[in-house]
DNA sequence: TTATTTCTACCTGTTTCCAGGTATTTTTTC
DNA sequence: GAAAAAATACCTGGAAACAGGTAGAAATAA
């Protein structure tokens, strides 16, 4: 970043994590913890009056979710670098955060050196991940492995209605289609999911978080 | 517990949490941190050679789950008090841990004073919860609120098979029953869940974590 | 502008589901 | 030992699901 030590903020509703992070960053004299916060709003109001170079941001906060908060931070102070810090290692979460302008994603099982290294990388303008996240992002997604079918708009719509308990005639009525058309889509769904009835269809759809 | 300070161990795979807890317990001179571990097996082998009065135990560990670990600890050293420490606040988790001999359940958003207070309570032989857990356990369970039907053994069995995509004749074959009997149970399931077809049956069953 | 995908719709026939019962036997529970 | 709950099994009839096609129009991508 620069010559002086970087001003860092921590946002996490767990006191334990706050303390732990501060402890881990104690010996990095290039980084100074300028503040720690337990809610998103708290941090936002602080950010209005102070300059922060980088923020370690817990994704699950009591008042606002990390994705929205990230957006707010970037709106308020585009130069502030956001590093997501989370227990959850779902690809979709990582991608969403990056999309909102985060510069990296760290899991809470990160080590001290790794944490410092990642902060420096982020300050240098790079995108950075903790080791565990790198692995998750590099290996083929579960979606690809499981072969989650890509559904068309109509199919998603009809899947949703099936999951709501609607029968083929019902769905035809709500979508203003011929029941025969609905049956065709229904058949496509069963084929794409490689299942032979709605029971399995619903279960696998739920498992694959499509419902 | 006694006159000297209590020997406490921490088991958590997150370095941040380890550091944070140590920090929070630094000023409690009645408690001394005798060791911190990132895996269950690591701690178990330590416990074989050392005396530990109380252990703060993360439920989600890489090598062994908290419930099994708790049982192992109690087998190895029945006098060691186990306090579960977790991010997850599901009733069932809390109950399972207590059943395995844990003396309490703390969420990671606990404050420093609360943590020390809970440790002391546990050392005094009491069952202790962090504030957030108390609230969860005191209010009526989601199960009761939602009116999750209580299913008979057979019904659960058949529900499971339906969810696996088996048809009535299939189920009859696998359970060596008349298809007509299976149909009767199937009807009971639909009635108890107050749904009108399998699609809804499966969805609500999944939602209520029965599948 | 092709080529491909998606959406639409139809046909036939079998199987399964679902709704409405009734009823006996076995197991629990009180 | 009586009562309640659970498990078994049956019947009828209509509705819906599922399997196996075909096929034209419309939208999208190359």
């Amino acid at each position: 970043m620069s010559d002086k030590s970087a001003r860092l903020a921590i946002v996490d509703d767990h006191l334990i994590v706050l303390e732990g992070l501060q402890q881990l960053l104690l010996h990095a004299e290039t980084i100074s913890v300028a503040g720690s916060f337990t809610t998103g709003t708290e941090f936002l109001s602080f950010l209005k009056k102070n300059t922060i170079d980088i923020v370690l941001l817990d994704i699950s906060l009591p008042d606002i979710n990390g994705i929205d908060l990230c957006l707010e931070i970037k709106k308020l102070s585009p130069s502030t670098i956001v590093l997501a810090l989370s227990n959850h290692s779902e690809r979709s979460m990582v991608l969403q955060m990056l999309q909102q302008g985060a510069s990296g994603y760290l899991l809470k099982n990160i080590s001290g050196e790794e944490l410092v290294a990642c902060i420096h990388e982020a300050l240098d303008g790079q995108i950075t991940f903790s080791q565990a996240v790198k692995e998750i992002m590099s290996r083929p997604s579960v979606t690809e492995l499981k072969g989650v079918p890509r559904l068309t708009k109509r199919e998603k719509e009809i899947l949703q209605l099936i999951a709501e308990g609607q029968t083929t005639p019902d769905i035809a009525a709500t979508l203003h289609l011929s029941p025969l058309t609905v049956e065709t889509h229904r058949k496509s769904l069963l084929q794409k999911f490689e299942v032979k009835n709605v029971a399995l269809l619903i279960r696998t759809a739920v498992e694959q978080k499509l419902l």
Side-chain angles (χ1 to χ4, degrees), chain A residues 148-159:
Chain A
V148 174
R150 51 164 199 2
L151 305 178
T152 68
K153 216 179 282 182
R154 259 296 193 248
E155 283 164 355
K156 278 182 202 159
E157 219 168 358
I158 286 172
L159 173 59

Side-chain angles (χ1 to χ4, degrees), chain A residues 11 30 39 42 46 50 55 65-66 72-73 94 119 121 127 137-138 142 147 154 156 161 167 175 204:
Chain A
V11 187
T30 51
T39 65
E42 227 175 280
F46 176 83
N50 298 269
V55 54
N65 73 70
E72 290 297 320
I73 291 168
V94 178
I119 290 173
E121 274 185 43
I127 299 289
M137 296 304 284
S138 65
V142 188
R154 259 296 193 248
K156 278 182 202 159
L161 294 174
T167 66
L175 294 182
T204 59

